[in-house]
Amino acid sequence: MTEDIGIYLQAIPENLLRGVSFADSSIGDYMRFHDKEIPALDNVQLAIIGIREGRNSDENEGCAHGVDPVRRALYSLFVDTSELQIVDLGDIHSGHAVEDTLFAVQHVAEYLIARGIVPIFIGGADYCSVGVYKAYCALERMTNVVNIDPMFDVHDNEGEPDVYNHLSRMILHKPGFLFNFTNIGYQTYLVNPKMQSVMNKMFFDIHRLGEVNEDISEMEPVIRQADMLTIDMRAVRASDNPGHRNPLPNGLYGEQLCQLMAQAGTNEKLSSISFFGYNPEFDMRSQSAQLIAQAIWCFIEGFLNRRSESIDFSSEQFTRYRVSLKDDHEIIFYKSKLTDRWWLEVPMPHTEGNRYKRSQIVPCSYKDYVMASDQEVPDRWWRTFQKLQ
């Protein structure tokens, strides 16, 4: 029942909908809106939710107002389909304390994810990702979190959540359901080398900006592992994304963000996505709002083109490859005949009740297969193997 989350959600501001007509085949034309009441969620696939929380954001408080400019840009974009089932559920407003806001985010995310509806959170500071992660914990789902961010937010965990400590809060949360954390696009000069070492010791997957720039297609297997995807908009360079109090001169290009979002859309496993940190006070020409809207459009496009693959890797849908290594070990790869995507198999302890069972076969790329054929163990295989022992 939608009333279960209605207490956390306020209607879309009237000025966004009053007297507005949307062009045929635009996203606004397909959208169901929370204006006077929350619409029915029957057959809904995607849900837009604004987060109006900007405290503890390193003077970027205007991110609490980021969702409405993105809405204006998103509603006007066109989609070539009649199958889009999308709803705008309105906004989560800031609570008495930051933890109250995260509590609301958790319950809205939990409600939607449990019903197979993908929430798209827009606005707020990136520590709101803690609320989304807690939804997976409440559902008792082992979770792969992928974070597009120029740095690792693992500072002092005391006090209220802020933009520099939310990752450590996820790692330390009990009971823990974080199977893996992956960072895409970190910039080495912004990261303490000790933190980089800690990430490697925990067998988390971290990918420098230079690695992304070298071959962005290699991020597809990374994105394909995600259950939960979060984007700190600071990861996009200031020339493409001026809408932030503390922008960075280097980072992803706008089109790279859109490429990553298209990859995310095709990931059948992905069940939530969030865009944090956008501050319209510094976005004089709505460039950042349009970029986020177009990134969401790319995600929707990928989502609508998802091709459901069998999870039975012994079926005829997959071609199996065995690669023998010099030490009498072998790595088994699978290639989908439907999508041409690759996976590799990682041995793991087969104990009763092993909650990591579904991660035994993990996404990879053709380059991993070539590396194994050249007698090199792919880094993806090794990190997964260490986690499962």
Side-chain angles (χ1 to χ4, degrees):
M1 301 290 289
T2 51
E3 54 263 29
D4 293 341
I5 56 171
I7 59 173
Y8 304 114
L9 294 165
Q10 296 190 25
I12 300 163
E14 288 185 15
N15 65 311
L16 289 178
L17 300 177
R18 186 176 57 242
V20 176
S21 60
F22 298 106
D24 180 56
S25 297
S26 67
I27 290 177
D29 185 38
Y30 289 108
M31 188 83 72
R32 306 179 200 175
F33 298 98
H34 176 192
D35 44 14
K36 294 182 175 58
E37 59 183 29
I38 296 178
L41 298 180
D42 302 336
N43 302 316
V44 167
Q45 303 162 304
L46 304 169
I48 302 293
I49 305 103
I51 303 179
R52 298 186 180 275
E53 177 61 85
R55 290 170 288 185
N56 303 342
S57 60
D58 194 13
E59 300 184 349
N60 194 45
E61 291 86 355
C63 64
H65 310 294
V67 61
D68 288 344
V70 176
R71 281 185 169 121
R72 290 190 186 94
L74 179 64
Y75 293 166
S76 65
L77 301 180
F78 292 98
V79 287
D80 185 17
T81 181
S82 60
E83 299 178 359
L84 180 60
Q85 299 288 335
I86 186 169
V87 62
D88 191 328
L89 290 176
D91 301 324
I92 297 171
H93 282 247
S94 60
H96 179 71
V98 168
E99 291 286 3
D100 298 323
T101 308
L102 299 187
F103 183 84
V105 171
Q106 173 189 333
H107 282 271
V108 171
E110 181 183 343
Y111 180 93
L112 296 172
I113 293 168
R115 288 157 179 78
I117 300 171
V118 178
I120 303 173
F121 291 102
I122 306 170
D126 58 357
Y127 56 73
C128 292
S129 61
V130 176
V132 183
Y133 171 67
K134 286 183 177 180
Y136 289 93
C137 296
L139 293 168
E140 298 186 350
R141 295 189 184 184
M142 293 306 301
T143 306
N144 287 313
V145 176
V146 174
N147 177 216
I148 300 175
D149 198 314
M151 60 185 69
F152 310 141
D153 301 316
V154 288
H155 289 200
D156 189 351
N157 197 40
E158 295 183 3
E160 286 193 327
D162 62 39
V163 291
Y164 297 116
N165 70 13
H166 61 93
L167 174 55
S168 51
R169 286 178 175 267
M170 283 194 280
I171 295 171
L172 297 173
H173 183 268
K174 300 295 182 184
F177 287 85
L178 181 63
F179 176 71
N180 190 39
F181 172 81
T182 300
N183 170 276
I184 295 176
Y186 80 92
Q187 299 178 34
T188 309
Y189 37 76
L190 300 177
V191 174
N192 187 320
K194 293 179 181 178
M195 284 297 107
Q196 189 173 340
S197 176
V198 168
M199 289 291 189
N200 285 319
K201 286 178 180 178
M202 297 180 75
F203 304 106
F204 287 160
D205 300 322
I206 55 176
H207 303 273
R208 291 184 303 106
L209 176 63
E211 185 181 345
V212 179
N213 287 335
E214 184 178 347
D215 187 355
I216 197 169
S217 67
E218 282 297 296
M219 295 301 105
E220 188 279 326
V222 177
I223 294 281
R224 201 181 343 139
Q225 293 188 73
D227 299 288
M228 169 183 162
L229 177 61
T230 67
I231 301 96
D232 181 342
M233 287 304 297
R234 256 187 115 205
V236 181
R237 60 181 59 207
S239 58
D240 288 14
N241 174 45
H244 199 285
R245 172 67 176 78
N246 305 300
L248 294 170
N250 291 307
L252 297 172
Y253 290 98
E255 57 264 42
Q256 288 178 312
L257 176 65
C258 289
Q259 283 178 275
L260 293 172
M261 294 307 100
Q263 293 172 358
T266 63
N267 174 10
E268 301 92 342
K269 199 159 83 75
L270 184 68
S271 50
S272 72
I273 183 170
S274 309
F275 297 82
F276 297 125
Y278 164 58
N279 187 339
E281 293 177 17
F282 301 93
D283 192 23
M284 297 299 102
R285 299 183 180 181
S286 298
Q287 180 179 339
S288 294
Q290 292 181 63
L291 173 60
I292 296 171
Q294 290 170 17
I296 294 171
W297 182 94
C298 290
F299 174 79
I300 293 172
E301 185 80 356
F303 181 90
L304 292 172
N305 286 286
R306 285 183 174 183
R307 303 178 71 179
S308 182
E309 292 179 301
S310 167
I311 59 172
D312 180 8
F313 287 89
S314 63
S315 71
E316 293 185 358
Q317 184 178 312
F318 296 91
T319 303
R320 188 178 189 182
Y321 298 87
R322 292 178 176 270
V323 178
S324 297
L325 302 178
K326 293 178 182 178
D327 56 0
D328 294 329
H329 288 81
E330 68 175 11
I331 299 179
I332 299 174
F333 290 86
Y334 300 90
K335 181 184 178 183
S336 170
K337 296 176 183 177
L338 181 65
T339 62
D340 288 334
R341 297 192 295 195
W342 287 79
W343 284 261
L344 58 80
E345 185 172 311
V346 182
M348 55 182 283
H350 294 283
T351 56
E352 185 177 352
N354 191 326
R355 59 182 180 175
Y356 298 142
K357 186 174 181 180
R358 71 182 183 89
S359 295
Q360 182 178 0
I361 297 176
V362 298
C364 70
S365 69
Y366 174 67
K367 284 188 177 180
D368 292 307
Y369 171 72
V370 172
M371 182 180 294
S373 300
D374 290 337
Q375 300 298 300
E376 294 183 50
V377 177
D379 187 59
R380 259 185 267 269
W381 185 96
W382 178 249
R383 286 182 180 271
T384 306
F385 178 79
Q386 293 293 326
K387 272 190 203 66
L388 295 174
Q389 301 312 301

